[in-house]
Amino acid sequence: MTKIGVPKEIKNNEFRVALTPSGVGELTRHGHEVYIETSAGAGSMIDDLDYVAAGAKILDSAADVWAAGDLIIKVKEPIEPEYERMREGQVLFTYLHLAADKPLTEELIKRKVTGIAYETVQLPSGGLPLLYPMSEVAGCLAPQVGAYNLMKAFGGRGVLLGGVGGVGGVARAKVVIIGAGVSGQNAANIALGMGAEVTMLDTDLGKLRMSFWRYDNRVQGLASSTLAIADQVQQADLVIGAVLIPGAAAPKLVSNELVAAMKPGSVLVDIAIDQGGCFEDSHPTTHADPTYTVHNSTFYCVANMPGAVPHTSTYALTNATMPYAVALANKGWEQALQDDASLALGLNTHAGRLANVQVGDAHGIPTADLADIL
């Protein structure tokens, strides 16, 4: 029997929760105890009584939940007020994004927490099953927030993504998406639906071929290079940064100098901000204060974009994480990782050691060999 804690998320405007009542029911059916902080699901429209009906125990405070849980399941990485609640030997299963967060990396090492990151669980195919659903959500949101910030009242160019057809005869806005992975493909889908002219860049020609067939040649696919990015970004009304290197810091692909050459009132949405961002001037923002200006362009760099649609995001995330959570609870973290090589790649820290090479490279911290830890 494993004691599982689910605290309420405290990141700015983060309304997701790590488990749905059905997830609680699955864990309690296997004989585990689940402790939920009161009102943890309120932002996702889940009542405490729904959790109780599924077999959870409701605790009054975050401190109580962290103290009760040997396995803590979250949505977002712990932030500073939560550091002191982590303890040696505790297993933390959540998004960590350590390559962009040296203070948290050092805290997990210092406190000897076993940190298993959703975003580095990786299938043999290269797919990221626990990042996939939130990448879908962020990709779908990016054109929406981009279109909103292109309105003149919010500092934008005053451009409608779909233009005006018929007798209006006004050209569509140009949307440039850097990265043709999950978030980029979903961004293209929504931008097309809104009527925009869409160009997608990637170094992986296979992904560009997939977009050709998926979108019936309505998306222009270009091999990504410094020159190609510079050319397309200067023409763009909206740029969406959707580049991901699993576990590693995102490459900086749009320079300050290039932003200075963009159209006045253009908008840049950085989906990669959780991993440090792929624009030179990107820094994390919040839903409460989502944008800032660089030269004459607006940057949107909210680090928890899917938190804006928590009901959708919570259920999508639990659907993906549940099999892994059950394995961790049933078998214990060590046996679960030994039995599943994909889950093993999620291990980032254990017993005061860093187990992720990309994070070590980002921060200059030595890493232990995963095989030695297991």
Short mmCIF file of all heavy atoms in Angstrom, two decimals, residues 243-295:
data_model
loop_
_atom_site.label_atom_id
_atom_site.label_comp_id
_atom_site.label_asym_id
_atom_site.label_seq_id
_atom_site.Cartn_x
_atom_site.Cartn_y
_atom_site.Cartn_z
N VAL A 243 9.51 24.69 -30.34
CA VAL A 243 10.67 23.79 -30.46
C VAL A 243 10.89 23.06 -29.15
O VAL A 243 10.83 23.65 -28.07
CB VAL A 243 11.93 24.60 -30.84
CG1 VAL A 243 13.15 23.69 -30.87
CG2 VAL A 243 11.74 25.27 -32.18
N LEU A 244 11.15 21.76 -29.24
CA LEU A 244 11.40 20.96 -28.04
C LEU A 244 12.55 20.01 -28.28
O LEU A 244 12.57 19.27 -29.27
CB LEU A 244 10.15 20.15 -27.66
CG LEU A 244 10.33 19.17 -26.50
CD1 LEU A 244 10.51 19.91 -25.19
CD2 LEU A 244 9.17 18.20 -26.41
N ILE A 245 13.51 20.01 -27.35
CA ILE A 245 14.54 18.98 -27.27
C ILE A 245 14.31 18.30 -25.93
O ILE A 245 14.48 18.93 -24.88
CB ILE A 245 15.96 19.57 -27.35
CG1 ILE A 245 16.14 20.33 -28.67
CG2 ILE A 245 17.01 18.47 -27.21
CD1 ILE A 245 17.46 21.06 -28.78
N PRO A 246 13.84 17.03 -25.91
CA PRO A 246 13.41 16.40 -24.66
C PRO A 246 14.40 16.56 -23.52
O PRO A 246 15.57 16.17 -23.64
CB PRO A 246 13.25 14.93 -25.06
CG PRO A 246 12.89 14.98 -26.50
CD PRO A 246 13.70 16.12 -27.06
N GLY A 247 13.94 17.18 -22.43
CA GLY A 247 14.74 17.32 -21.23
C GLY A 247 15.76 18.44 -21.24
O GLY A 247 16.30 18.80 -20.20
N ALA A 248 16.04 18.99 -22.42
CA ALA A 248 17.10 19.98 -22.56
C ALA A 248 16.52 21.39 -22.69
O ALA A 248 15.33 21.58 -22.97
CB ALA A 248 17.96 19.67 -23.77
N ALA A 249 17.39 22.39 -22.47
CA ALA A 249 16.97 23.77 -22.68
C ALA A 249 16.67 24.00 -24.16
O ALA A 249 17.35 23.46 -25.04
CB ALA A 249 18.07 24.71 -22.21
N ALA A 250 15.65 24.79 -24.44
CA ALA A 250 15.27 25.08 -25.82
C ALA A 250 16.34 25.95 -26.48
O ALA A 250 16.92 26.83 -25.84
CB ALA A 250 13.92 25.80 -25.86
N PRO A 251 16.63 25.72 -27.77
CA PRO A 251 17.59 26.57 -28.47
C PRO A 251 17.00 27.96 -28.73
O PRO A 251 15.79 28.10 -28.94
CB PRO A 251 17.83 25.82 -29.79
CG PRO A 251 16.55 25.06 -30.00
CD PRO A 251 16.06 24.69 -28.63
N LYS A 252 17.83 28.97 -28.71
CA LYS A 252 17.39 30.34 -28.97
C LYS A 252 17.46 30.60 -30.47
O LYS A 252 18.54 30.73 -31.04
CB LYS A 252 18.26 31.34 -28.21
CG LYS A 252 18.27 31.14 -26.70
CD LYS A 252 16.92 31.39 -26.07
CE LYS A 252 16.97 31.32 -24.54
NZ LYS A 252 15.64 31.51 -23.93
N LEU A 253 16.31 30.66 -31.11
CA LEU A 253 16.24 30.70 -32.56
C LEU A 253 15.83 32.05 -33.12
O LEU A 253 16.02 32.30 -34.31
CB LEU A 253 15.27 29.62 -33.06
CG LEU A 253 15.63 28.18 -32.68
CD1 LEU A 253 14.56 27.22 -33.16
CD2 LEU A 253 16.99 27.79 -33.25
N VAL A 254 15.25 32.91 -32.30
CA VAL A 254 14.84 34.25 -32.76
C VAL A 254 15.57 35.28 -31.90
O VAL A 254 15.29 35.41 -30.71
CB VAL A 254 13.31 34.44 -32.67
CG1 VAL A 254 12.93 35.86 -33.06
CG2 VAL A 254 12.59 33.43 -33.56
N SER A 255 16.49 35.98 -32.50
CA SER A 255 17.35 36.92 -31.76
C SER A 255 16.63 38.24 -31.51
O SER A 255 15.63 38.58 -32.15
CB SER A 255 18.63 37.18 -32.55
OG SER A 255 18.33 37.88 -33.74
N ASN A 256 17.19 39.02 -30.60
CA ASN A 256 16.69 40.37 -30.33
C ASN A 256 16.78 41.22 -31.59
O ASN A 256 15.87 41.99 -31.91
CB ASN A 256 17.50 40.98 -29.20
CG ASN A 256 17.07 42.40 -28.88
OD1 ASN A 256 17.45 43.35 -29.56
ND2 ASN A 256 16.27 42.56 -27.83
N GLU A 257 17.87 41.06 -32.32
CA GLU A 257 18.06 41.82 -33.56
C GLU A 257 16.97 41.49 -34.58
O GLU A 257 16.45 42.37 -35.27
CB GLU A 257 19.44 41.50 -34.14
CG GLU A 257 19.77 42.24 -35.42
CD GLU A 257 21.12 41.87 -35.98
OE1 GLU A 257 21.74 40.89 -35.49
OE2 GLU A 257 21.57 42.54 -36.94
N LEU A 258 16.60 40.21 -34.64
CA LEU A 258 15.55 39.81 -35.58
C LEU A 258 14.20 40.36 -35.16
O LEU A 258 13.41 40.81 -36.01
CB LEU A 258 15.51 38.28 -35.67
CG LEU A 258 14.51 37.67 -36.65
CD1 LEU A 258 14.67 38.25 -38.04
CD2 LEU A 258 14.69 36.15 -36.69
N VAL A 259 13.91 40.38 -33.87
CA VAL A 259 12.65 40.95 -33.39
C VAL A 259 12.57 42.43 -33.76
O VAL A 259 11.51 42.94 -34.13
CB VAL A 259 12.50 40.75 -31.87
CG1 VAL A 259 11.27 41.49 -31.33
CG2 VAL A 259 12.39 39.27 -31.53
N ALA A 260 13.69 43.12 -33.68
CA ALA A 260 13.72 44.55 -34.03
C ALA A 260 13.34 44.79 -35.48
O ALA A 260 12.85 45.87 -35.84
CB ALA A 260 15.10 45.13 -33.74
N ALA A 261 13.55 43.78 -36.31
CA ALA A 261 13.25 43.92 -37.74
C ALA A 261 11.84 43.44 -38.10
O ALA A 261 11.45 43.51 -39.27
CB ALA A 261 14.27 43.12 -38.55
N MET A 262 11.07 42.99 -37.10
CA MET A 262 9.72 42.50 -37.38
C MET A 262 8.74 43.65 -37.59
O MET A 262 9.02 44.80 -37.28
CB MET A 262 9.24 41.61 -36.22
CG MET A 262 9.96 40.28 -36.11
SD MET A 262 9.36 39.28 -34.72
CE MET A 262 7.69 38.86 -35.32
N LYS A 263 7.56 43.30 -38.11
CA LYS A 263 6.51 44.29 -38.30
C LYS A 263 6.09 44.88 -36.95
O LYS A 263 5.92 44.14 -35.98
CB LYS A 263 5.28 43.63 -38.93
CG LYS A 263 5.49 43.05 -40.32
CD LYS A 263 4.21 42.34 -40.78
CE LYS A 263 4.37 41.69 -42.12
NZ LYS A 263 3.13 40.96 -42.53
N PRO A 264 5.90 46.19 -36.87
CA PRO A 264 5.40 46.78 -35.62
C PRO A 264 4.04 46.18 -35.26
O PRO A 264 3.17 46.03 -36.12
CB PRO A 264 5.26 48.26 -35.96
CG PRO A 264 6.21 48.47 -37.09
CD PRO A 264 6.19 47.21 -37.89
N GLY A 265 3.88 45.83 -33.98
CA GLY A 265 2.62 45.26 -33.52
C GLY A 265 2.51 43.76 -33.73
O GLY A 265 1.45 43.18 -33.46
N SER A 266 3.57 43.12 -34.20
CA SER A 266 3.55 41.67 -34.35
C SER A 266 3.58 41.01 -32.98
O SER A 266 3.89 41.63 -31.96
CB SER A 266 4.74 41.20 -35.19
OG SER A 266 5.96 41.67 -34.63
N VAL A 267 3.23 39.71 -32.94
CA VAL A 267 3.12 38.98 -31.69
C VAL A 267 3.96 37.71 -31.77
O VAL A 267 3.98 37.03 -32.80
CB VAL A 267 1.65 38.61 -31.39
CG1 VAL A 267 1.53 37.74 -30.14
CG2 VAL A 267 0.81 39.88 -31.22
N LEU A 268 4.63 37.39 -30.66
CA LEU A 268 5.41 36.15 -30.56
C LEU A 268 4.91 35.36 -29.34
O LEU A 268 4.87 35.90 -28.23
CB LEU A 268 6.91 36.43 -30.40
CG LEU A 268 7.58 37.17 -31.56
CD1 LEU A 268 7.59 38.68 -31.29
CD2 LEU A 268 9.01 36.67 -31.78
N VAL A 269 4.50 34.12 -29.56
CA VAL A 269 4.02 33.23 -28.51
C VAL A 269 5.04 32.11 -28.35
O VAL A 269 5.29 31.36 -29.29
CB VAL A 269 2.63 32.65 -28.85
CG1 VAL A 269 2.19 31.68 -27.76
CG2 VAL A 269 1.61 33.76 -29.02
N ASP A 270 5.61 32.00 -27.15
CA ASP A 270 6.69 31.03 -26.92
C ASP A 270 6.16 29.83 -26.11
O ASP A 270 6.15 29.85 -24.88
CB ASP A 270 7.86 31.69 -26.19
CG ASP A 270 9.15 30.89 -26.33
OD1 ASP A 270 9.07 29.68 -26.64
OD2 ASP A 270 10.24 31.48 -26.14
N ILE A 271 5.73 28.78 -26.82
CA ILE A 271 5.27 27.57 -26.15
C ILE A 271 6.41 26.87 -25.43
O ILE A 271 6.20 26.16 -24.45
CB ILE A 271 4.61 26.62 -27.17
CG1 ILE A 271 3.39 27.26 -27.82
CG2 ILE A 271 4.20 25.30 -26.50
CD1 ILE A 271 2.77 26.41 -28.92
N ALA A 272 7.64 27.09 -25.89
CA ALA A 272 8.81 26.41 -25.33
C ALA A 272 9.32 27.05 -24.04
O ALA A 272 10.39 26.67 -23.54
CB ALA A 272 9.95 26.39 -26.37
N ILE A 273 8.58 27.98 -23.47
CA ILE A 273 9.07 28.74 -22.32
C ILE A 273 9.34 27.86 -21.11
O ILE A 273 10.23 28.16 -20.30
CB ILE A 273 8.11 29.90 -21.98
CG1 ILE A 273 8.75 30.87 -20.98
CG2 ILE A 273 6.78 29.37 -21.47
CD1 ILE A 273 9.98 31.58 -21.52
N ASP A 274 8.61 26.74 -20.95
CA ASP A 274 8.88 25.84 -19.84
C ASP A 274 10.31 25.31 -19.87
O ASP A 274 10.87 24.95 -18.83
CB ASP A 274 7.91 24.64 -19.86
CG ASP A 274 6.58 24.98 -19.20
OD1 ASP A 274 6.57 25.74 -18.22
OD2 ASP A 274 5.54 24.48 -19.68
N GLN A 275 10.88 25.22 -21.06
CA GLN A 275 12.25 24.75 -21.22
C GLN A 275 13.20 25.92 -21.50
O GLN A 275 14.27 25.73 -22.09
CB GLN A 275 12.34 23.72 -22.34
CG GLN A 275 11.59 22.42 -22.06
CD GLN A 275 12.20 21.62 -20.93
OE1 GLN A 275 11.56 21.39 -19.91
NE2 GLN A 275 13.43 21.19 -21.07
N GLY A 276 12.82 27.11 -21.09
CA GLY A 276 13.69 28.28 -21.24
C GLY A 276 13.31 29.20 -22.37
O GLY A 276 13.78 30.34 -22.43
N GLY A 277 12.51 28.71 -23.31
CA GLY A 277 12.05 29.55 -24.42
C GLY A 277 12.97 29.50 -25.61
O GLY A 277 14.18 29.31 -25.49
N CYS A 278 12.39 29.70 -26.83
CA CYS A 278 13.21 29.63 -28.04
C CYS A 278 13.41 30.99 -28.70
O CYS A 278 13.91 31.07 -29.82
CB CYS A 278 12.65 28.61 -29.03
SG CYS A 278 10.96 28.90 -29.57
N PHE A 279 13.00 32.07 -28.01
CA PHE A 279 13.32 33.43 -28.46
C PHE A 279 14.32 34.02 -27.47
O PHE A 279 14.22 33.79 -26.26
CB PHE A 279 12.06 34.31 -28.49
CG PHE A 279 10.89 33.72 -29.23
CD1 PHE A 279 9.60 33.93 -28.78
CD2 PHE A 279 11.09 32.97 -30.38
CE1 PHE A 279 8.51 33.41 -29.46
CE2 PHE A 279 10.00 32.43 -31.07
CZ PHE A 279 8.71 32.64 -30.61
N GLU A 280 15.27 34.79 -27.97
CA GLU A 280 16.34 35.32 -27.11
C GLU A 280 15.80 36.11 -25.93
O GLU A 280 16.32 36.01 -24.81
CB GLU A 280 17.28 36.21 -27.94
CG GLU A 280 18.44 36.77 -27.14
CD GLU A 280 19.35 37.68 -27.95
OE1 GLU A 280 19.14 37.81 -29.18
OE2 GLU A 280 20.29 38.27 -27.35
N ASP A 281 14.75 36.88 -26.14
CA ASP A 281 14.23 37.76 -25.10
C ASP A 281 13.09 37.15 -24.29
O ASP A 281 12.43 37.85 -23.53
CB ASP A 281 13.78 39.09 -25.72
CG ASP A 281 14.95 39.90 -26.22
OD1 ASP A 281 15.78 40.31 -25.40
OD2 ASP A 281 15.04 40.10 -27.45
N SER A 282 12.86 35.85 -24.44
CA SER A 282 11.78 35.22 -23.69
C SER A 282 12.12 35.10 -22.21
O SER A 282 13.24 34.77 -21.85
CB SER A 282 11.51 33.81 -24.24
OG SER A 282 10.93 33.86 -25.51
N HIS A 283 11.13 35.38 -21.38
CA HIS A 283 11.22 35.06 -19.96
C HIS A 283 9.82 34.70 -19.48
O HIS A 283 8.82 35.20 -20.03
CB HIS A 283 11.82 36.20 -19.14
CG HIS A 283 11.04 37.47 -19.14
ND1 HIS A 283 9.88 37.65 -18.42
CD2 HIS A 283 11.25 38.65 -19.79
CE1 HIS A 283 9.41 38.88 -18.61
NE2 HIS A 283 10.21 39.51 -19.44
N PRO A 284 9.69 33.83 -18.49
CA PRO A 284 8.37 33.33 -18.11
C PRO A 284 7.45 34.45 -17.62
O PRO A 284 7.86 35.34 -16.87
CB PRO A 284 8.67 32.34 -16.99
CG PRO A 284 10.09 31.93 -17.20
CD PRO A 284 10.77 33.15 -17.74
N THR A 285 6.20 34.36 -18.05
CA THR A 285 5.17 35.27 -17.55
C THR A 285 4.03 34.43 -16.96
O THR A 285 4.09 33.21 -16.95
CB THR A 285 4.63 36.17 -18.68
OG1 THR A 285 4.05 35.35 -19.71
CG2 THR A 285 5.73 37.03 -19.26
N THR A 286 3.01 35.10 -16.47
CA THR A 286 1.89 34.42 -15.83
C THR A 286 0.58 34.80 -16.52
O THR A 286 0.51 35.79 -17.27
CB THR A 286 1.78 34.81 -14.34
OG1 THR A 286 1.41 36.21 -14.26
CG2 THR A 286 3.10 34.59 -13.61
N HIS A 287 -0.46 34.04 -16.23
CA HIS A 287 -1.77 34.38 -16.78
C HIS A 287 -2.25 35.74 -16.26
O HIS A 287 -3.02 36.42 -16.93
CB HIS A 287 -2.79 33.30 -16.41
CG HIS A 287 -2.59 32.01 -17.15
ND1 HIS A 287 -2.79 31.89 -18.50
CD2 HIS A 287 -2.18 30.78 -16.72
CE1 HIS A 287 -2.54 30.64 -18.88
NE2 HIS A 287 -2.16 29.96 -17.82
N ALA A 288 -1.79 36.12 -15.08
CA ALA A 288 -2.18 37.42 -14.52
C ALA A 288 -1.51 38.58 -15.24
O ALA A 288 -2.06 39.69 -15.31
CB ALA A 288 -1.84 37.47 -13.03
N ASP A 289 -0.33 38.36 -15.79
CA ASP A 289 0.42 39.40 -16.48
C ASP A 289 1.18 38.72 -17.64
O ASP A 289 2.38 38.51 -17.56
CB ASP A 289 1.40 40.08 -15.51
CG ASP A 289 2.08 41.29 -16.11
OD1 ASP A 289 1.60 41.79 -17.14
OD2 ASP A 289 3.11 41.73 -15.55
N PRO A 290 0.46 38.37 -18.71
CA PRO A 290 0.99 37.42 -19.69
C PRO A 290 1.96 37.97 -20.73
O PRO A 290 2.70 37.20 -21.35
CB PRO A 290 -0.26 36.90 -20.38
CG PRO A 290 -1.25 38.02 -20.27
CD PRO A 290 -0.96 38.67 -18.95
N THR A 291 1.96 39.27 -20.96
CA THR A 291 2.73 39.81 -22.09
C THR A 291 3.68 40.92 -21.67
O THR A 291 3.53 41.53 -20.62
CB THR A 291 1.78 40.35 -23.18
OG1 THR A 291 1.02 41.44 -22.65
CG2 THR A 291 0.84 39.26 -23.67
N TYR A 292 4.64 41.18 -22.54
CA TYR A 292 5.52 42.33 -22.40
C TYR A 292 6.00 42.70 -23.80
O TYR A 292 5.84 41.94 -24.77
CB TYR A 292 6.70 42.03 -21.46
CG TYR A 292 7.54 40.84 -21.85
CD1 TYR A 292 8.69 40.98 -22.62
CD2 TYR A 292 7.20 39.56 -21.43
CE1 TYR A 292 9.46 39.89 -22.97
CE2 TYR A 292 7.95 38.46 -21.77
CZ TYR A 292 9.09 38.63 -22.54
OH TYR A 292 9.86 37.54 -22.90
N THR A 293 6.59 43.88 -23.91
CA THR A 293 7.00 44.40 -25.22
C THR A 293 8.50 44.31 -25.42
O THR A 293 9.28 44.64 -24.52
CB THR A 293 6.54 45.86 -25.37
OG1 THR A 293 5.12 45.93 -25.22
CG2 THR A 293 6.93 46.42 -26.74
N VAL A 294 8.90 43.85 -26.58
CA VAL A 294 10.30 43.87 -27.01
C VAL A 294 10.34 44.61 -28.34
O VAL A 294 9.68 44.20 -29.31
CB VAL A 294 10.87 42.44 -27.17
CG1 VAL A 294 12.30 42.51 -27.69
CG2 VAL A 294 10.81 41.68 -25.85
N HIS A 295 11.08 45.71 -28.37
CA HIS A 295 11.05 46.62 -29.52
C HIS A 295 9.59 47.00 -29.78
O HIS A 295 8.94 47.53 -28.90
CB HIS A 295 11.74 45.99 -30.73
CG HIS A 295 13.21 45.73 -30.49
ND1 HIS A 295 14.11 46.74 -30.24
CD2 HIS A 295 13.91 44.57 -30.41
CE1 HIS A 295 15.31 46.23 -30.03
NE2 HIS A 295 15.22 44.91 -30.12
#
